[in-house]
Amino acid sequence: MKNIFITLILLINFFVYGYEPIASSEDLYLRDVPVFYGLEDINERLNKYNKPIWALNLSGGSARAFAHIGVLKRLEEEGLRPDVMITDSMGSIVGLAYAAGMSVADIEDMIKTLRLSNYFNLTLPIKGGVIDLHEFEALMFALFKNMDLKNTAIPAFVITEDLITKRQVILSKGDLVKVLKAAFAIPFYFQPVNIGNFKLVDGGISSLVHIEPFITMLPNMVISSSFYSADVNLKNPLSILNVTIDISKSRRSVKQIKEFNPFLIRCNVENISFMAFDEGEEIIRRGYESCNAAIPDLLEYLKERGIPARKQRLEEFSETKDIHENWLTLKTKLNYTILPAREFGWLIKPWLETGQSFGNSHYLNQNYLQVLKAIFWYDKSLLETMVFYTDDSTGSIVRLKTMFSDYLYLNTEGQLNFSTISNNLYQYDSNYLFTELGVILSISRHFLKPIITTEFVNIENYYNSDLYFRPGLIFESGSGTSTIDLRYLIRKESDSITPGISAEYISSLPSGDTGFGLETRIYCKSALNNFSNGVELTFNDYYRSRGDSILMPLHTWYPSYLIINGNITWNIGRLMPTMGEILTTKDSTSYLFSDLLITNLFNYNGNMKFRPTIGIGIDIKASFIGLKPYTYSLSGGWDINSNQPFITFSIGTLFD
């Protein structure tokens, strides 16, 4: 398997990288001359002003750029709205949304609600970056549709760098979503973006603040900056690399500020990590306070240039209402629907996902290790294919998710698993087909999800197969989550048919100001006759003890059983500092837990048995380069019935 994996990587490098044309370059002495793309369009708009105008320049800074939201909020309170926006890098997420007409309140709500890093996917660097942005692109398209940069409510310039000519390219036209992707296409992390004849990356690689190209055109300039001076471990090579890159960017920015003397709002976020995407609320607050402190001097600066403060409510753009409606619709259906993609796309990524993870969409799961995952998307459909192996088998899983409308969806999953312990490589092993048809009904911030689910297990073995039929209703609300899940199952063993039933209730109350929370779950499964081995207890049913032996198999059969889980949680925050600001830990949670397994609950042939456990555990959320964090759960306790300890480890938790 290892050799197959290495061969595949080599083929990818040969067929993809080998055919990428080598970047050419123009005259060496033109590299310091910026290229304006769409200057005619924006000049036409600027020439219509019959008054002195001023520009707001929003710097990059990764997560620190969220401070610009606080700056914009405070400026609007003074009746100040820039006539022109200049943005680069992550400052463009805030700046272009505002230029498009999105209100500051909606931008702030978006940053707090979305956790943008959840929309970044790790991928093999086949296209020039290790992070894929197709989910982020779909998200932005849902907000801004097909808006062109030249038609935004506020004229805007976006600074990028071109890999072909090695010149700075300043965009003022082009598809808004595509321009936004180019604005923060940090080399290595993100794929370069093709616009016109350019292959563009983040303009922040050369300077944190760009003033010089605009000083003649826009002499009245206000800069909102997010410089970097966090205390880092200078024995860590990754930290040394980050600081080294920042030296030249900061030096060039300071030189321009001193030479051209714009008005500077120096946001108090310089000691915050550039990967602190989960600290958006604090960063926004600091930006607001920094701007508030600068307001008296700013008003004087603008007055000297003939730009009076307008201490009045700013007029709403016509685009603002449309974008607001788009945001409310998107926010309501977020996490429940597939965002439509504008075009067909794909990615391949290495992946590590153990089958021993809680919180799966259906009960059936294998103890497998994934090697590669390929994802294809088009419109409202998403196809995932995964290659995996275990100690005794190898195979693939295919998942298809489709939205037929904004409310009706279909999820289908199939597994083809081949045994590798038999002389016959093509001996099937535990193949299954899973299908879920559901409707999403939203009432205010509450959701009802009537669903019909079928699971067909051991497809190739007609004499020993399982069919699970589940009509269910899931209820979720913004103040916590309660889920009721009911299934009807049919198990076929030889010549007999075993009907069964399962039900699940989950409730999760988030931690308040004290940091304490409560998680509860009740799950039962039972055969409906006594002519079978019963129903299967698996690892994913969330009974953490392995029973009479630590080495006990993961699958055990009972006529019926009930599991009651209870967790008292305590949010302990970030456990450790970042590793070179590449690997960061998020909110971590410790908890006291108790699992109670009651077997033969509805059994007519035996006595009811109780198997209580108690223990402690910890969930650590870790994120690589700001991507969606994974929860690593480690717990240990005491099985009271067998009078012995146990330890469990999983990726993910039931209550995620």
Side-chain angles (χ1 to χ4, degrees), residues 462 465 490-499 529 531-532:
Y462 173 77
S465 59
I490 301 173
R491 177 170 176 77
K492 186 177 184 300
E493 298 176 289
S494 299
D495 295 326
S496 65
I497 299 294
T498 301
N529 64 29
F531 300 108
S532 73

Side-chain angles (χ1 to χ4, degrees), residues 120-138:
F120 298 168
N121 291 280
L122 194 66
T123 180
L124 292 178
I126 297 172
K127 303 177 184 179
V130 297
I131 300 176
D132 178 82
L133 290 175
H134 81 271
E135 288 188 57
F136 175 82
E137 183 175 13

Side-chain angles (χ1 to χ4, degrees), residues 61-268:
S62 292
R64 296 190 302 276
F66 293 158
H68 303 321
I69 299 173
V71 171
L72 289 169
K73 182 191 293 189
R74 185 65 187 92
L75 289 176
E76 286 209 340
E77 290 175 356
E78 288 294 324
L80 293 172
R81 176 183 286 153
D83 300 297
V84 187
M85 300 291 298
I86 301 171
T87 74
D88 75 279
S89 196
M90 290 295 287
S92 297
I93 292 182
V94 177
L96 289 186
Y98 188 70
M102 194 172 188
S103 69
V104 178
D106 281 347
I107 296 173
E108 182 176 9
D109 190 33
M110 177 180 71
I111 295 301
K112 291 179 179 179
T113 301
L114 290 182
R115 291 186 177 271
L116 292 176
S117 57
N118 289 353
Y119 297 86
F120 298 168
N121 291 280
L122 194 66
T123 180
L124 292 178
I126 297 172
K127 303 177 184 179
V130 297
I131 300 176
D132 178 82
L133 290 175
H134 81 271
E135 288 188 57
F136 175 82
E137 183 175 13
L139 185 73
M140 293 296 103
F141 178 68
L143 281 175
F144 304 117
K145 305 303 180 183
N146 290 309
M147 182 180 290
D148 194 285
L149 181 60
K150 68 181 180 181
N151 297 323
T152 52
I154 301 175
F157 291 101
V158 180
I159 296 93
T160 64
E161 297 284 347
D162 179 34
L163 295 178
I164 297 176
T165 63
K166 300 179 179 62
R167 294 171 67 179
Q168 189 178 75
V169 176
I170 301 173
L171 304 170
S172 50
K173 72 174 182 179
D175 178 88
L176 182 69
V177 176
K178 204 170 184 180
V179 169
L180 179 54
K181 286 175 60 181
F184 65 87
I186 303 171
F188 175 76
Y189 293 117
F190 300 110
Q191 173 187 350
V193 177
N194 296 319
I195 295 180
N197 295 321
F198 306 113
K199 200 174 190 70
L200 302 176
V201 296
D202 183 354
I205 63 173
S206 59
S207 179
L208 191 69
V209 175
H210 301 270
I211 304 172
E212 188 173 7
F214 307 100
I215 200 62
T216 302
M217 186 190 319
L218 301 167
N220 306 321
M221 186 181 298
V222 176
I223 292 175
S224 174
S225 73
S226 53
F227 284 95
Y228 175 62
S229 60
D231 293 330
V232 295
N233 179 12
L234 293 180
K235 293 182 180 180
N236 185 308
L238 292 174
S239 297
I240 293 172
L241 178 62
N242 290 335
V243 173
T244 303
I245 293 173
D246 182 69
I247 287 174
S248 60
K249 293 167 54 175
S250 297
R251 184 177 296 160
R252 183 173 181 183
S253 300
V254 170
K255 181 180 179 181
Q256 291 184 76
I257 290 171
K258 291 166 68 176
E259 181 177 355
F260 300 111
N261 196 29
F263 187 89
L264 178 65
I265 301 173
R266 188 175 172 184
C267 296
N268 180 28

Side-chain angles (χ1 to χ4, degrees), residues 603-621:
N603 189 26
Y604 17 74
N605 292 330
N607 297 322
M608 189 182 304
K609 295 182 180 180
F610 294 83
R611 306 183 68 101
T613 70
I614 56 174
I616 60 175
I618 186 169
D619 293 344
I620 299 176
K621 289 187 177 181

